Amino acid sequence: FQQVMVIELTGTGISPVLTVDMELIEFGDVRLGENSTLELTITNTGDANLIINDISTNNEFFTVQFENEIILDPESSRSIQIIFAPQEIQEYFGELHINSNAPFNGEMTIELSGAGISRELVMPLNQGWDLVSININPGDEFYDEEDNRGPDPILMMEQFRIDEDNHNLEMLKDEDGRFYSPEFNFNNISYWNILKGYQIKVREGAEGTWAGEVIPSDQEFWLDENWNMVAYLPMFEL
């Protein structure tokens, strides 16, 4: 005869518990040169102080604003900001790592995702002459298939066409005096040098829109002897 004894042990442990309000952080589409910020809320649902000693990402295009150790009392919360700043037209993936003294999930990983899309440049033009430049590299639709040195000037100006016989553009002129005139169906500007400035004359005030990759503000460019008209690349007014 064998006797079996069952012993049930019960009790409550005192420990912190780390919980978050998002298991996956998705930024969606963000234009190049801009950034998107999302907030992640961290809560201590345990019954002891939660100590968060590090929050970091494994992808430089996702950054987190974390400097000092965070201590959360039981049932208290703290929000942290995660910033996504794409540099190229592509999808981005990363991980957010949270290290704490929580006994069961002291090392938590949250997936990050986002996509960089082309930046839109809007250029207002006054009636008459304007001195302009662009700080993006326009998409392939503005390039001539036979010349990839820069966008095609005619394609760049086509959005100002009124109809088949009329064009709001009177003249596009570069620093060397070469020009494009729709009225006379003449163009001797081989390509639009995106690092140069141009003069545009329109019959009526208008607004041009192009989309493309941002040109870095520290981009090197060549200066010819004597005068140059060069592009202004930063995205803030000076």
Side-chain angles (χ1 to χ4, degrees), residues 161-185:
R161 179 175 294 279
I162 301 170
D163 54 41
E164 186 176 349
D165 300 318
N166 297 282
H167 209 302
N168 191 24
L169 175 74
E170 282 194 56
M171 186 175 294
L172 170 71
K173 187 165 65 172
D174 70 7
E175 65 181 6
D176 295 317
R178 294 179 292 241
F179 67 94
Y180 164 49
S181 171
E183 181 179 358
F184 296 100
N185 194 26

PDB file of all heavy atoms in Angstrom, residues 161-185:
ATOM      1  N   ARG A 161       2.561  73.919 -69.111  1.00  0.00           N
ATOM      2  CA  ARG A 161       1.888  74.003 -70.413  1.00  0.00           C
ATOM      3  C   ARG A 161       0.388  74.175 -70.195  1.00  0.00           C
ATOM      4  O   ARG A 161      -0.225  73.481 -69.374  1.00  0.00           O
ATOM      5  CB  ARG A 161       2.177  72.765 -71.251  1.00  0.00           C
ATOM      6  CG  ARG A 161       1.477  72.774 -72.614  1.00  0.00           C
ATOM      7  CD  ARG A 161       1.887  71.601 -73.462  1.00  0.00           C
ATOM      8  NE  ARG A 161       3.300  71.681 -73.828  1.00  0.00           N
ATOM      9  CZ  ARG A 161       3.764  72.434 -74.824  1.00  0.00           C
ATOM     10  NH1 ARG A 161       2.921  73.189 -75.543  1.00  0.00           N
ATOM     11  NH2 ARG A 161       5.054  72.449 -75.092  1.00  0.00           N
ATOM     12  N   ILE A 162      -0.218  75.095 -70.941  1.00  0.00           N
ATOM     13  CA  ILE A 162      -1.655  75.357 -70.838  1.00  0.00           C
ATOM     14  C   ILE A 162      -2.431  74.408 -71.734  1.00  0.00           C
ATOM     15  O   ILE A 162      -3.397  73.786 -71.321  1.00  0.00           O
ATOM     16  CB  ILE A 162      -1.952  76.824 -71.196  1.00  0.00           C
ATOM     17  CG1 ILE A 162      -1.193  77.761 -70.239  1.00  0.00           C
ATOM     18  CG2 ILE A 162      -3.452  77.091 -71.166  1.00  0.00           C
ATOM     19  CD1 ILE A 162      -1.243  79.216 -70.658  1.00  0.00           C
ATOM     20  N   ASP A 163      -2.021  74.310 -72.991  1.00  0.00           N
ATOM     21  CA  ASP A 163      -2.602  73.365 -73.938  1.00  0.00           C
ATOM     22  C   ASP A 163      -1.555  73.075 -75.002  1.00  0.00           C
ATOM     23  O   ASP A 163      -0.401  73.476 -74.879  1.00  0.00           O
ATOM     24  CB  ASP A 163      -3.910  73.886 -74.547  1.00  0.00           C
ATOM     25  CG  ASP A 163      -3.767  75.267 -75.186  1.00  0.00           C
ATOM     26  OD1 ASP A 163      -2.727  75.493 -75.845  1.00  0.00           O
ATOM     27  OD2 ASP A 163      -4.671  76.105 -75.010  1.00  0.00           O
ATOM     28  N   GLU A 164      -1.955  72.410 -76.052  1.00  0.00           N
ATOM     29  CA  GLU A 164      -0.993  71.994 -77.071  1.00  0.00           C
ATOM     30  C   GLU A 164      -0.285  73.177 -77.716  1.00  0.00           C
ATOM     31  O   GLU A 164       0.878  73.084 -78.126  1.00  0.00           O
ATOM     32  CB  GLU A 164      -1.714  71.163 -78.138  1.00  0.00           C
ATOM     33  CG  GLU A 164      -0.785  70.553 -79.181  1.00  0.00           C
ATOM     34  CD  GLU A 164      -1.521  69.666 -80.162  1.00  0.00           C
ATOM     35  OE1 GLU A 164      -2.711  69.362 -79.903  1.00  0.00           O
ATOM     36  OE2 GLU A 164      -0.916  69.283 -81.175  1.00  0.00           O
ATOM     37  N   ASP A 165      -0.969  74.320 -77.804  1.00  0.00           N
ATOM     38  CA  ASP A 165      -0.403  75.470 -78.512  1.00  0.00           C
ATOM     39  C   ASP A 165       0.079  76.590 -77.587  1.00  0.00           C
ATOM     40  O   ASP A 165       0.689  77.550 -78.069  1.00  0.00           O
ATOM     41  CB  ASP A 165      -1.438  76.046 -79.486  1.00  0.00           C
ATOM     42  CG  ASP A 165      -1.874  75.028 -80.530  1.00  0.00           C
ATOM     43  OD1 ASP A 165      -0.996  74.316 -81.041  1.00  0.00           O
ATOM     44  OD2 ASP A 165      -3.082  74.951 -80.800  1.00  0.00           O
ATOM     45  N   ASN A 166      -0.205  76.495 -76.297  1.00  0.00           N
ATOM     46  CA  ASN A 166       0.129  77.589 -75.386  1.00  0.00           C
ATOM     47  C   ASN A 166       0.878  77.071 -74.162  1.00  0.00           C
ATOM     48  O   ASN A 166       0.564  75.994 -73.623  1.00  0.00           O
ATOM     49  CB  ASN A 166      -1.140  78.308 -74.932  1.00  0.00           C
ATOM     50  CG  ASN A 166      -1.884  78.956 -76.088  1.00  0.00           C
ATOM     51  OD1 ASN A 166      -1.496  80.015 -76.567  1.00  0.00           O
ATOM     52  ND2 ASN A 166      -2.949  78.296 -76.545  1.00  0.00           N
ATOM     53  N   HIS A 167       1.836  77.890 -73.730  1.00  0.00           N
ATOM     54  CA  HIS A 167       2.677  77.528 -72.585  1.00  0.00           C
ATOM     55  C   HIS A 167       2.812  78.750 -71.690  1.00  0.00           C
ATOM     56  O   HIS A 167       3.011  79.869 -72.172  1.00  0.00           O
ATOM     57  CB  HIS A 167       4.062  77.087 -73.079  1.00  0.00           C
ATOM     58  CG  HIS A 167       4.752  76.102 -72.188  1.00  0.00           C
ATOM     59  ND1 HIS A 167       5.035  76.356 -70.863  1.00  0.00           N
ATOM     60  CD2 HIS A 167       5.233  74.854 -72.445  1.00  0.00           C
ATOM     61  CE1 HIS A 167       5.665  75.309 -70.341  1.00  0.00           C
ATOM     62  NE2 HIS A 167       5.788  74.377 -71.272  1.00  0.00           N
ATOM     63  N   ASN A 168       2.671  78.553 -70.365  1.00  0.00           N
ATOM     64  CA  ASN A 168       2.847  79.676 -69.432  1.00  0.00           C
ATOM     65  C   ASN A 168       4.308  80.084 -69.333  1.00  0.00           C
ATOM     66  O   ASN A 168       4.627  81.218 -68.980  1.00  0.00           O
ATOM     67  CB  ASN A 168       2.304  79.299 -68.053  1.00  0.00           C
ATOM     68  CG  ASN A 168       2.207  80.500 -67.123  1.00  0.00           C
ATOM     69  OD1 ASN A 168       2.111  81.644 -67.575  1.00  0.00           O
ATOM     70  ND2 ASN A 168       2.243  80.263 -65.828  1.00  0.00           N
ATOM     71  N   LEU A 169       5.220  79.154 -69.646  1.00  0.00           N
ATOM     72  CA  LEU A 169       6.652  79.471 -69.591  1.00  0.00           C
ATOM     73  C   LEU A 169       7.061  80.272 -70.824  1.00  0.00           C
ATOM     74  O   LEU A 169       6.802  79.860 -71.957  1.00  0.00           O
ATOM     75  CB  LEU A 169       7.468  78.184 -69.520  1.00  0.00           C
ATOM     76  CG  LEU A 169       8.985  78.369 -69.573  1.00  0.00           C
ATOM     77  CD1 LEU A 169       9.509  78.918 -68.253  1.00  0.00           C
ATOM     78  CD2 LEU A 169       9.683  77.059 -69.926  1.00  0.00           C
ATOM     79  N   GLU A 170       7.690  81.433 -70.574  1.00  0.00           N
ATOM     80  CA  GLU A 170       8.280  82.182 -71.684  1.00  0.00           C
ATOM     81  C   GLU A 170       9.698  81.726 -71.938  1.00  0.00           C
ATOM     82  O   GLU A 170      10.103  81.501 -73.080  1.00  0.00           O
ATOM     83  CB  GLU A 170       8.269  83.690 -71.382  1.00  0.00           C
ATOM     84  CG  GLU A 170       6.925  84.345 -71.592  1.00  0.00           C
ATOM     85  CD  GLU A 170       7.060  85.864 -71.625  1.00  0.00           C
ATOM     86  OE1 GLU A 170       7.852  86.375 -72.460  1.00  0.00           O
ATOM     87  OE2 GLU A 170       6.395  86.535 -70.818  1.00  0.00           O
ATOM     88  N   MET A 171      10.479  81.585 -70.838  1.00  0.00           N
ATOM     89  CA  MET A 171      11.868  81.209 -71.039  1.00  0.00           C
ATOM     90  C   MET A 171      12.459  80.611 -69.767  1.00  0.00           C
ATOM     91  O   MET A 171      12.164  81.045 -68.649  1.00  0.00           O
ATOM     92  CB  MET A 171      12.714  82.424 -71.464  1.00  0.00           C
ATOM     93  CG  MET A 171      14.156  82.084 -71.829  1.00  0.00           C
ATOM     94  SD  MET A 171      15.059  83.529 -72.456  1.00  0.00           S
ATOM     95  CE  MET A 171      14.169  83.839 -73.979  1.00  0.00           C
ATOM     96  N   LEU A 172      13.287  79.588 -69.939  1.00  0.00           N
ATOM     97  CA  LEU A 172      14.146  79.017 -68.896  1.00  0.00           C
ATOM     98  C   LEU A 172      15.577  79.250 -69.334  1.00  0.00           C
ATOM     99  O   LEU A 172      15.942  78.900 -70.455  1.00  0.00           O
ATOM    100  CB  LEU A 172      13.873  77.517 -68.739  1.00  0.00           C
ATOM    101  CG  LEU A 172      14.858  76.746 -67.854  1.00  0.00           C
ATOM    102  CD1 LEU A 172      14.663  77.121 -66.388  1.00  0.00           C
ATOM    103  CD2 LEU A 172      14.688  75.236 -68.043  1.00  0.00           C
ATOM    104  N   LYS A 173      16.398  79.855 -68.450  1.00  0.00           N
ATOM    105  CA  LYS A 173      17.749  80.231 -68.848  1.00  0.00           C
ATOM    106  C   LYS A 173      18.744  79.807 -67.786  1.00  0.00           C
ATOM    107  O   LYS A 173      18.491  79.934 -66.577  1.00  0.00           O
ATOM    108  CB  LYS A 173      17.819  81.745 -69.072  1.00  0.00           C
ATOM    109  CG  LYS A 173      19.140  82.227 -69.648  1.00  0.00           C
ATOM    110  CD  LYS A 173      19.044  83.647 -70.186  1.00  0.00           C
ATOM    111  CE  LYS A 173      18.761  84.649 -69.077  1.00  0.00           C
ATOM    112  NZ  LYS A 173      18.859  86.042 -69.567  1.00  0.00           N
ATOM    113  N   ASP A 174      19.913  79.286 -68.204  1.00  0.00           N
ATOM    114  CA  ASP A 174      20.939  78.890 -67.239  1.00  0.00           C
ATOM    115  C   ASP A 174      21.991  79.986 -67.089  1.00  0.00           C
ATOM    116  O   ASP A 174      21.884  81.063 -67.700  1.00  0.00           O
ATOM    117  CB  ASP A 174      21.562  77.540 -67.620  1.00  0.00           C
ATOM    118  CG  ASP A 174      22.448  77.612 -68.870  1.00  0.00           C
ATOM    119  OD1 ASP A 174      22.709  78.725 -69.383  1.00  0.00           O
ATOM    120  OD2 ASP A 174      22.891  76.550 -69.342  1.00  0.00           O
ATOM    121  N   GLU A 175      23.014  79.729 -66.286  1.00  0.00           N
ATOM    122  CA  GLU A 175      24.014  80.757 -65.973  1.00  0.00           C
ATOM    123  C   GLU A 175      24.891  81.124 -67.162  1.00  0.00           C
ATOM    124  O   GLU A 175      25.552  82.168 -67.161  1.00  0.00           O
ATOM    125  CB  GLU A 175      24.897  80.283 -64.817  1.00  0.00           C
ATOM    126  CG  GLU A 175      25.739  79.064 -65.131  1.00  0.00           C
ATOM    127  CD  GLU A 175      26.582  78.595 -63.949  1.00  0.00           C
ATOM    128  OE1 GLU A 175      26.409  79.155 -62.851  1.00  0.00           O
ATOM    129  OE2 GLU A 175      27.393  77.675 -64.130  1.00  0.00           O
ATOM    130  N   ASP A 176      24.901  80.261 -68.186  1.00  0.00           N
ATOM    131  CA  ASP A 176      25.731  80.521 -69.366  1.00  0.00           C
ATOM    132  C   ASP A 176      24.933  81.114 -70.519  1.00  0.00           C
ATOM    133  O   ASP A 176      25.459  81.265 -71.628  1.00  0.00           O
ATOM    134  CB  ASP A 176      26.403  79.220 -69.833  1.00  0.00           C
ATOM    135  CG  ASP A 176      27.385  78.694 -68.799  1.00  0.00           C
ATOM    136  OD1 ASP A 176      28.139  79.513 -68.230  1.00  0.00           O
ATOM    137  OD2 ASP A 176      27.388  77.481 -68.539  1.00  0.00           O
ATOM    138  N   GLY A 177      23.662  81.447 -70.283  1.00  0.00           N
ATOM    139  CA  GLY A 177      22.857  82.063 -71.326  1.00  0.00           C
ATOM    140  C   GLY A 177      22.130  81.082 -72.218  1.00  0.00           C
ATOM    141  O   GLY A 177      21.376  81.492 -73.113  1.00  0.00           O
ATOM    142  N   ARG A 178      22.341  79.789 -72.033  1.00  0.00           N
ATOM    143  CA  ARG A 178      21.567  78.807 -72.789  1.00  0.00           C
ATOM    144  C   ARG A 178      20.117  78.874 -72.328  1.00  0.00           C
ATOM    145  O   ARG A 178      19.847  79.170 -71.167  1.00  0.00           O
ATOM    146  CB  ARG A 178      22.153  77.403 -72.588  1.00  0.00           C
ATOM    147  CG  ARG A 178      23.557  77.235 -73.190  1.00  0.00           C
ATOM    148  CD  ARG A 178      24.061  75.833 -72.927  1.00  0.00           C
ATOM    149  NE  ARG A 178      24.306  75.651 -71.506  1.00  0.00           N
ATOM    150  CZ  ARG A 178      25.511  75.360 -70.979  1.00  0.00           C
ATOM    151  NH1 ARG A 178      26.560  75.263 -71.772  1.00  0.00           N
ATOM    152  NH2 ARG A 178      25.641  75.192 -69.678  1.00  0.00           N
ATOM    153  N   PHE A 179      19.176  78.564 -73.224  1.00  0.00           N
ATOM    154  CA  PHE A 179      17.787  78.752 -72.825  1.00  0.00           C
ATOM    155  C   PHE A 179      16.861  77.769 -73.530  1.00  0.00           C
ATOM    156  O   PHE A 179      17.197  77.164 -74.547  1.00  0.00           O
ATOM    157  CB  PHE A 179      17.338  80.191 -73.106  1.00  0.00           C
ATOM    158  CG  PHE A 179      17.250  80.563 -74.557  1.00  0.00           C
ATOM    159  CD1 PHE A 179      16.047  80.451 -75.250  1.00  0.00           C
ATOM    160  CD2 PHE A 179      18.369  81.036 -75.248  1.00  0.00           C
ATOM    161  CE1 PHE A 179      15.957  80.808 -76.594  1.00  0.00           C
ATOM    162  CE2 PHE A 179      18.285  81.387 -76.580  1.00  0.00           C
ATOM    163  CZ  PHE A 179      17.080  81.269 -77.264  1.00  0.00           C
ATOM    164  N   TYR A 180      15.666  77.657 -72.929  1.00  0.00           N
ATOM    165  CA  TYR A 180      14.572  76.879 -73.510  1.00  0.00           C
ATOM    166  C   TYR A 180      13.397  77.821 -73.683  1.00  0.00           C
ATOM    167  O   TYR A 180      12.963  78.478 -72.738  1.00  0.00           O
ATOM    168  CB  TYR A 180      14.194  75.709 -72.612  1.00  0.00           C
ATOM    169  CG  TYR A 180      12.852  75.086 -72.922  1.00  0.00           C
ATOM    170  CD1 TYR A 180      12.506  74.726 -74.227  1.00  0.00           C
ATOM    171  CD2 TYR A 180      11.924  74.859 -71.908  1.00  0.00           C
ATOM    172  CE1 TYR A 180      11.266  74.161 -74.510  1.00  0.00           C
ATOM    173  CE2 TYR A 180      10.684  74.286 -72.184  1.00  0.00           C
ATOM    174  CZ  TYR A 180      10.354  73.952 -73.484  1.00  0.00           C
ATOM    175  OH  TYR A 180       9.138  73.402 -73.762  1.00  0.00           O
ATOM    176  N   SER A 181      12.871  77.899 -74.931  1.00  0.00           N
ATOM    177  CA  SER A 181      11.722  78.747 -75.236  1.00  0.00           C
ATOM    178  C   SER A 181      10.662  77.898 -75.941  1.00  0.00           C
ATOM    179  O   SER A 181      10.844  77.521 -77.106  1.00  0.00           O
ATOM    180  CB  SER A 181      12.133  79.913 -76.141  1.00  0.00           C
ATOM    181  OG  SER A 181      10.986  80.610 -76.606  1.00  0.00           O
ATOM    182  N   PRO A 182       9.562  77.572 -75.240  1.00  0.00           N
ATOM    183  CA  PRO A 182       8.503  76.788 -75.892  1.00  0.00           C
ATOM    184  C   PRO A 182       7.900  77.501 -77.101  1.00  0.00           C
ATOM    185  O   PRO A 182       7.531  76.855 -78.084  1.00  0.00           O
ATOM    186  CB  PRO A 182       7.466  76.609 -74.779  1.00  0.00           C
ATOM    187  CG  PRO A 182       8.199  76.846 -73.503  1.00  0.00           C
ATOM    188  CD  PRO A 182       9.257  77.847 -73.833  1.00  0.00           C
ATOM    189  N   GLU A 183       7.798  78.843 -77.029  1.00  0.00           N
ATOM    190  CA  GLU A 183       7.175  79.600 -78.112  1.00  0.00           C
ATOM    191  C   GLU A 183       7.915  79.395 -79.429  1.00  0.00           C
ATOM    192  O   GLU A 183       7.297  79.274 -80.498  1.00  0.00           O
ATOM    193  CB  GLU A 183       7.138  81.085 -77.751  1.00  0.00           C
ATOM    194  CG  GLU A 183       6.477  81.951 -78.802  1.00  0.00           C
ATOM    195  CD  GLU A 183       6.434  83.417 -78.397  1.00  0.00           C
ATOM    196  OE1 GLU A 183       6.888  83.748 -77.271  1.00  0.00           O
ATOM    197  OE2 GLU A 183       5.933  84.236 -79.198  1.00  0.00           O
ATOM    198  N   PHE A 184       9.259  79.362 -79.344  1.00  0.00           N
ATOM    199  CA  PHE A 184      10.065  79.184 -80.555  1.00  0.00           C
ATOM    200  C   PHE A 184      10.534  77.736 -80.725  1.00  0.00           C
ATOM    201  O   PHE A 184      11.352  77.457 -81.607  1.00  0.00           O
ATOM    202  CB  PHE A 184      11.268  80.124 -80.516  1.00  0.00           C
ATOM    203  CG  PHE A 184      10.896  81.582 -80.547  1.00  0.00           C
ATOM    204  CD1 PHE A 184      10.886  82.322 -79.373  1.00  0.00           C
ATOM    205  CD2 PHE A 184      10.514  82.197 -81.732  1.00  0.00           C
ATOM    206  CE1 PHE A 184      10.529  83.670 -79.391  1.00  0.00           C
ATOM    207  CE2 PHE A 184      10.153  83.537 -81.755  1.00  0.00           C
ATOM    208  CZ  PHE A 184      10.158  84.280 -80.583  1.00  0.00           C
ATOM    209  N   ASN A 185      10.039  76.856 -79.845  1.00  0.00           N
ATOM    210  CA  ASN A 185      10.392  75.439 -79.918  1.00  0.00           C
ATOM    211  C   ASN A 185      11.903  75.263 -79.978  1.00  0.00           C
ATOM    212  O   ASN A 185      12.440  74.508 -80.809  1.00  0.00           O
ATOM    213  CB  ASN A 185       9.730  74.781 -81.139  1.00  0.00           C
ATOM    214  CG  ASN A 185       9.774  73.264 -81.071  1.00  0.00           C
ATOM    215  OD1 ASN A 185       9.834  72.691 -79.981  1.00  0.00           O
ATOM    216  ND2 ASN A 185       9.780  72.624 -82.230  1.00  0.00           N
TER     217      ASN A 185
END
